[in-house]
């Protein structure tokens, strides 16, 4: 009995080591908070400051990119969009409609067109196009539900930045970069490799193009970065500077009345992927301990009803070996137990 238990545990330990190493990046996302690369509020001029970028040079071009199906922006997002347009009249503005996005990919990145067209969910295309336009033109990408609380000039002084989400990870709803920044080049290069179907649509969207995908690339990028070249660094906009304070850059508009069940669920899961990740590990733990208790009961059953177990295992060839071992152990069982007492 004890040898079978040891084998069971050994196999499980091997499985756990394999699983942990294959999700190591995900686990590290639970503890890496991006504070090392945070855009410090101390270095940000106030919204009404007489020197809008401090003494820092603007690096990112003055362009705002947004995406929507077509040019008819729903009224509940128009307010948010106008708040940004009104503050940045001297900036270029690009609305990437579905048609414009596809034409752009077909012309500039033909190697990606097959993946782009092949995405099951339109939201995957909306995710992907934002990485391509940032890699290509540079500028600032904003989701349509992000309004502007102040001018974004200070955010142009970093070569690249992403937005931190709570409690961990980063999102893809507001981000900026200079053209051809190595991080976004890496992101677009990785997209075809991450185009995989997971069982649930929500996980597929998050893991193939969404915030989870971006967070994983971000982790790999930072681990590989090594030498800290300022131009290669990806800075992180922290929650307090993102929204909710007088000095924050953005306002959040939750006008998502058009969201049908599926889209709503996808968006919810995109925003709560950390919670889902923890839930996943919890379920894995439950599965492990269930397997363990079933196996324990199986062994006990065999040792109390030997003949029955023999008939049972004879029909399942791969169990024969285990059965033979079980008998061997059963025969030695009693003396061993006496030793233990
Ligand atoms: C734009 O897209 C929306 C949502 O799919 C649709 O309801 C609307 O009819 C479209 N407008 C035009 C002008 O095609």
């Amino acid at each position: 009995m004890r040898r079978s238990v040891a084998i069971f545990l050994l196999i499980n330990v091997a499985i756990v080591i394999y699983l942990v190493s294959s999700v190591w990046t995900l686990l590290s996302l639970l503890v890496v908070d991006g504070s090392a690369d945070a855009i410090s509020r101390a270095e940000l001029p106030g919204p009404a400051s007489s020197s809008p970028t401090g003494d820092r040079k603007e690096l990112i071009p003055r362009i705002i990119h947004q995406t929507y199906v077509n040019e008819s922006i729903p009224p509940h997002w128009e307010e948010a969009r106008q708040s940004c347009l009104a503050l940045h009249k001297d900036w270029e503005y690009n609305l990437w409609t579905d048609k414009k996005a596809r034409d752009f990919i077909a012309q500039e990145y033909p190697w990606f067109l097959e993946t782009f067209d092949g995405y099951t969910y339109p939201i995957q295309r909306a995710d992907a196009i934002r990485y391509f336009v940032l890699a290509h033109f540079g500028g600032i990408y904003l989701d349509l539900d992000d309004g502007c609380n102040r001018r974004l000039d200070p955010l142009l002084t970093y070569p690249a930045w992403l937005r931190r989400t709570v409690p961990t990870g980063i999102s893809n709803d507001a981000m900026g970069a200079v053209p051809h920044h190595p991080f976004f080049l890496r992101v677009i290069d990785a997209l075809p490799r991450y185009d995989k179907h997971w069982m649930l649509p929500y996980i597929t969207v998050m893991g193939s193009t969404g915030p989870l995908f971006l967070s994983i690339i971000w982790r790999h990028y930072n681990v590989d970065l090594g030498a800290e070249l300022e131009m290669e660094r990806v800075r992180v906009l922290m929650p307090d500077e993102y929204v909710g304070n007088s000095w924050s850059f953005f306002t959040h508009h939750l006008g998502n009345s058009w969201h049908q069940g599926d889209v709503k669920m996808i968006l919810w899961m995109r925003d709560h992927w950390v919670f889902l990740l923890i839930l996943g590990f919890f379920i894995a733990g439950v599965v492990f301990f269930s397997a363990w208790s079933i196996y324990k009961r199986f062994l006990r059953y065999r040792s109390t009803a030997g003949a029955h177990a023999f008939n049972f295992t004879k029909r399942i060839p791969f169990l024969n070996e285990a059965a033979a071992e079980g008998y061997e152990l059963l025969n030695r069982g009693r003396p061993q137990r006496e030793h233990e007492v």
Side-chain angles (χ1 to χ4, degrees), residues 68-72:
Y68 193 63
V69 189
N70 54 34
E71 310 263 346
S72 334

